Amino acid sequence: FGMMSYDPAFKNTASTTSAVTYIDGANGILEYRGYPIEQLAERSSFLEVAYLLLKGELPNKGEYDQFVHDVTFHTYVHENMTDLLDAFRYDAHSMGTMISSVAALSTFYPEAKDVRDPENRWIQINRLVAKMPTLAAFAYRHHRGLPLVYPENELSYAANFLNMLFRIGVKEYKPNPVLERALDVLFILHADHEQNCSATTMRVIGSAEADPYSALAGAMAALYGPLHGGANEAVLRMLHRIGHVDNIPAFIKGVKNREERLMGFGHRVYKSYDPRAAIIKRTAEEVFEVTGRNPLLDIALELERIALEEEFFVSRNLYPNVDFYSGLIYQALGFPVEMFPVLFAIPRTVGWLAQWQEMLEDDEQKIARPRQVFTGRERRDFIAMEDRG
Ligand code: CMC
């Protein structure tokens, strides 16, 4: 192919340089801006991690307070956004509603088109980080025919989200601090993961200098796919279907016969245990102490144990990924399955925006435009319809 290289699905192509997230897939290492994910999950908060990913350094107290203030200031959405919600059928999947809502935001902020201005970009970034939980909660409440709950700006990022979702009547929903913290940790773990399918989508759309709302709607659409962010939903459905530990061997047999995949296992980059899955497994135990044990956890634990003893999985380096246990926690926190990809999209918004910003500041980046290896027909002449046989 001359100077061109052929690499389907970009498996061996670095499309960019990046200083945001480091993954060592062979050794199960994940770092944001150099900080190990384990330390961030234990000692940091989601908004602190968001600042780190977006700005490159941990914030000092003043910078942090300012960022929290700015994000909080932008939590409300234009009231017309609620009319948009009304256009959806009662059973609309929340992720579909969210993708449309984020795309619609671009029409409210036409100045966001000026993507070359860093100050303007920072305002749009704050807006998106702030509004995602609001849009998610609106989608959820619309889906149930419940009145919308508006942001409470004195609550934490996670608590405000939980309040907008689960508040009943005028009484504020006060989440158990263990559950509030668990959600914050899940947000930290999902905040970025270098050049995955949705981050690549964000960069590709952004490279055409589309506004960040439109680009982010595209990234969300990629995330919605069951092989990407839809996997946690698929895991829960799979665990429900298995139903009992006694049914696991038959299920594993089906996977080995390639009838279906073991959802929540395997990763393009991790060829060892996904470090996020290890943290989530511990968080799940903490959550279950408060909420009571989810019986599906026992199926998941046994599934992991059996799979990791099987030659099929061992020889292919298939280990649990982040999605294997996250759904169980989400369910214990009271989220329905269809909210799972939304819960992935909220924190990943930060990673998408950090990478979008990095791409725009990179002089070597241009509009993304891969080449192809043409395998179609050679030149031929048009045939009139009556002569086509
Ligand atoms: N169950 C059974 N077999 C599998 C699985 C699985 N979950 N994952 C991979 N394999 C097999 C696959 O059949 C292939 O075997 P062979 O070489 O004999 O044909 C081999 O392992 C390599 O698989 P691949 O499809 O070439 O690997 P990939 O890097 O293209 O796919 C993946 C990565 C995540 C799409 C895939 O492992 C998968 O479909 N997993 C289940 C879905 C899932 O959990 N996705 C969440 C990913 S992590 C969160 C995120 O980033 O979104």
Side-chain angles (χ1 to χ4, degrees), residues 161-177:
F161 180 45
L162 289 168
N163 181 55
M164 286 189 289
L165 288 161
F166 299 134
R167 177 174 180 155
I168 297 167
V170 291
K171 212 163 141 265
E172 185 182 295
Y173 171 88
K174 283 225 164 49
N176 181 305

Side-chain angles (χ1 to χ4, degrees), residues 162-209:
L162 289 168
N163 181 55
M164 286 189 289
L165 288 161
F166 299 134
R167 177 174 180 155
I168 297 167
V170 291
K171 212 163 141 265
E172 185 182 295
Y173 171 88
K174 283 225 164 49
N176 181 305
V178 173
L179 306 185
E180 181 181 339
R181 175 66 190 156
L183 186 61
D184 209 55
V185 169
L186 283 162
F187 281 176
I188 293 172
L189 299 182
H190 284 89
D192 194 43
H193 212 233
E194 54 118 306
Q195 306 316 314
N196 53 77
C197 180
S198 56
T200 303
T201 306
M202 183 83 193
R203 284 178 179 266
V204 169
I205 301 177
S207 77
E209 300 198 355

Side-chain angles (χ1 to χ4, degrees), residues 356-367:
W356 169 72
Q357 189 176 236
E358 184 179 60
M359 185 264 311
L360 288 168
E361 284 168 3
D362 181 348
D363 290 339
E364 290 193 346
Q365 288 296 335
K366 289 191 175 343
I367 186 165

Side-chain angles (χ1 to χ4, degrees), residues 227-228 231 258 261-262 264-268 316 318 321 323:
L227 296 188
H228 190 8
R258 295 173 189 279
R261 289 198 163 199
L262 172 49
F265 259 63
H267 200 275
R268 175 63 59 79
R316 289 175 177 76
L318 300 172
N321 60 49
D323 289 321

Side-chain angles (χ1 to χ4, degrees), residues 77-78 80-86 88 93-109 128 131-132 134-140 142 213-214 216-217 220:
V77 294
H78 194 289
N80 285 11
M81 290 295 288
T82 62
D83 297 336
L84 179 67
L85 285 177
D86 286 338
F88 288 93
H93 195 290
S94 297
M95 193 69 168
T97 313
M98 274 283 278
I99 293 170
S100 312
S101 305
V102 171
L105 279 184
S106 77
T107 66
F108 291 89
Y109 307 110
L128 269 161
K131 292 183 200 306
M132 287 294 277
T134 312
L135 294 177
F138 279 12
Y140 170 90
H142 175 75
Y213 303 95
S214 304
L216 207 120
M220 283 185 78

